[in-house]
Amino acid sequence: MEFSTNPEHSFYDVVIIGGATSGAAVAWFLSNNPDFDGRVLVVEKDSSFKQSATIASNNCMRQQFATEINVKIAQYAAEFVKNFRENLGGDPKVPNIPIRNFGYLYLADNEEFANILREDQQLQTSCGAGTKIMTREEIASAYPFYNLDDIVAGSLNIVDEGAFDALLMVEWLRQKAWENGVHFIENEVVTMDSSGNSINSITLKTGEVITVGKVVNAAGNRAAQVSRMAGVDLPIEPRRRYTYIFSAENHLEQDLPLTIDPTGVHMRSFGEHDYLVGCPPIEGDPAVAFDDFGYPEAVWEEKILPVIQNRIPQFKSVKVTDSWVGHYEFNTFDHNAIIGPHTEIANLFFCNGFSGHGSQQAPACGRGVAELLIYGEFRTLDLSALSYARLANNAPLIERAVI
């Protein structure tokens, strides 16, 4: 499919601002629901996604969260991608998307953090997740390549935890939504016209004025910028994340779990014999400009390389083969997604603030937003804990398991 520039109509029942992971998910679930027959327009600023979180996704899948709703969202994501073809209608052209289940392993270097992992494991187990708490000796037995001198315990789940092809999922959600009649354009919303408690129309950069029924903000890192057009402040900002791919002269004989080191560096298997490693900035985690994808720090030399060589002595000789900088759409309020309608502007809906978890949370959240648009309520998984109302009521739902 190709994005056109101009809309076909002057009125749409639903306009989705942002056509990457979240926008594509909302569009597909909306268009695939037999109870909905309205017009849908998706406005995407850059159809190449060069400046979106989607293109820089590390394609991760995990259930090790500290809030029940996020565990349930992740469990749906795993089911959705493993049965992707069936979930998208059985078209033989649509692939299933396997999860490479090397698992997530959180390492604790003190009892305080180990107790947090134990508390979170009890929550995850109550939701049916396969998380296990491991002693240092158990970790060493399962993964003998680690240096564990400073480690007291770990938390591991190898059931539906690892990596998947998130970009492939987005491409097919978009393709199938387009086949269902959703209009996709490469353009930009520059203003919104409101009266009372409703948005009446949007104006595109090319000058067209579109009358709207409902508006969905799925603009990722630009979500706050989009919402300000409606007079709404969102606590969302771009945060820089570094990713490197490296090969090792002496590669491991087994998969490397996505290992979250106590330093904040995380690493995992990537291809057959290479590895992905990532981390936040060296000092602090400041907001950055939307188009800032530079490397202002010597993060590989100063932060990443010392950690991987200490944690896995076998990685004494490594070589960087690729790298990129991506952005989290970071929710500074409580690190959780914001899903559903504004408390005062009745036809403004949010699908934002995933704080690095958007690829795996988009299926459940896209389905939930579509249900709200059609029925005015959640029909499957209740996502009301992630509603905008918690911001209005200053009642954060903190997700502490953010890498």
Side-chain angles (χ1 to χ4, degrees):
M1 62 166 288
E2 293 184 2
F3 280 66
S4 60
T5 302
N6 305 108
E8 298 180 13
H9 306 285
S10 59
F11 168 78
Y12 286 87
D13 296 275
V14 178
V15 172
I16 301 170
I17 304 174
T21 307
S22 299
V26 174
W28 182 78
F29 279 103
L30 197 60
S31 66
N32 195 60
N33 192 310
D35 293 333
F36 179 80
D37 61 358
R39 289 177 180 166
V40 181
L41 176 69
V42 177
V43 184
E44 169 55 45
K45 178 181 172 67
D46 176 16
S47 61
S48 72
F49 300 152
K50 288 181 180 178
Q51 294 188 0
S52 75
T54 294
I55 205 70
S57 171
N58 286 352
N59 303 303
C60 294
M61 179 75 74
R62 66 175 161 111
Q63 298 172 47
Q64 291 188 67
F65 288 97
T67 50
E68 180 179 354
I69 188 59
N70 285 336
V71 179
K72 292 180 177 179
I73 286 172
Q75 289 171 330
Y76 175 69
E79 183 279 328
F80 185 76
V81 300
K82 288 189 300 182
N83 300 287
F84 194 60
R85 180 186 300 133
E86 179 183 351
N87 285 327
L88 263 66
D91 184 341
K93 298 192 300 296
V94 177
N96 280 321
I97 303 177
I99 300 171
R100 187 175 177 182
N101 289 303
F102 43 65
Y104 266 63
L105 175 61
Y106 282 83
L107 296 176
D109 60 354
N110 59 75
E111 280 299 326
E112 182 180 4
F113 185 50
N115 286 332
I116 290 174
L117 292 179
R118 294 181 184 109
E119 179 183 343
D120 291 348
Q121 185 265 346
Q122 291 179 359
L123 168 69
Q124 295 151 18
T125 299
S126 73
C127 295
T131 312
K132 306 289 186 183
I133 297 297
M134 303 177 74
T135 65
R136 177 168 56 192
E137 292 72 25
E138 288 170 333
I139 298 170
S141 177
Y143 304 105
F145 47 79
Y146 287 124
N147 167 23
L148 300 170
D149 289 347
D150 60 330
I151 299 303
V152 299
S155 173
L156 175 71
N157 182 13
I158 57 173
V159 180
D160 291 338
E161 288 206 5
F164 73 111
D165 193 334
L167 184 58
L168 184 63
M169 177 187 74
V170 175
E171 289 172 346
W172 277 103
L173 288 173
R174 189 172 61 177
Q175 174 67 28
K176 284 301 181 180
W178 177 74
E179 291 177 11
N180 287 346
V182 174
H183 299 163
F184 288 81
I185 62 172
E186 185 174 68
N187 211 313
E188 185 177 354
V189 176
V190 293
T191 62
M192 297 183 190
D193 177 68
S194 303
S195 63
N197 66 341
S198 182
I199 299 170
N200 300 322
S201 65
I202 61 168
T203 301
L204 301 176
K205 189 174 183 178
T206 48
E208 296 92 341
V209 177
I210 307 296
T211 305
V212 300
K214 296 170 183 175
V215 175
V216 178
N217 182 348
N221 293 321
R222 297 178 184 268
Q225 184 183 48
V226 166
S227 284
R228 280 194 290 270
M229 298 179 198
V232 176
D233 288 324
L234 283 184
I236 295 173
E237 59 191 30
R239 298 278 186 92
R240 184 185 286 116
R241 289 296 182 272
Y242 300 99
T243 300
Y244 291 82
I245 307 300
F246 68 93
S247 60
E249 185 174 310
N250 297 311
H251 64 79
L252 304 178
E253 297 301 321
Q254 64 189 103
D255 274 344
L256 173 63
L258 198 151
T259 307
I260 300 93
D261 192 83
T263 61
V265 172
H266 53 277
M267 51 188 162
R268 65 169 174 85
S269 288
F270 184 69
E272 185 176 359
H273 294 312
D274 56 357
Y275 306 91
L276 179 151
V277 60
C279 68
I282 294 175
E283 295 293 338
D285 193 10
V288 297
F290 300 116
D291 58 353
D292 182 354
F293 295 94
Y295 295 76
E297 306 166 297
V299 69
W300 171 261
E301 296 83 359
E302 295 181 13
K303 184 170 184 177
I304 292 177
L305 184 59
V307 171
I308 63 176
Q309 292 181 330
N310 171 67
R311 190 60 61 202
I312 304 178
Q314 193 170 327
F315 286 169
K316 181 178 180 180
S317 178
V318 298
K319 178 182 178 181
V320 173
T321 58
D322 197 6
S323 67
W324 60 87
V325 176
H327 290 165
Y328 276 9
E329 54 169 306
F330 199 82
N331 176 357
T332 62
F333 181 69
D334 61 7
H335 319 150
N336 261 317
I338 303 169
I339 303 300
H342 189 261
T343 49
E344 297 178 8
I345 303 174
N347 63 341
L348 175 61
F349 292 74
F350 302 103
C351 194
N352 308 112
F354 296 98
S355 302
H357 309 132
S359 292
Q360 67 170 315
Q361 294 191 327
C365 293
R367 180 184 63 176
V369 171
E371 290 171 350
L372 289 174
L373 292 166
I374 298 168
Y375 306 114
E377 63 181 5
F378 297 114
R379 290 288 181 90
T380 48
L381 180 60
D382 184 0
L383 301 176
S384 56
L386 301 177
S387 71
Y388 178 86
R390 75 182 194 277
L391 278 70
N393 297 329
N394 194 27
L397 176 69
I398 300 294
E399 177 54 69
R400 61 174 172 251
V402 175
I403 300 173

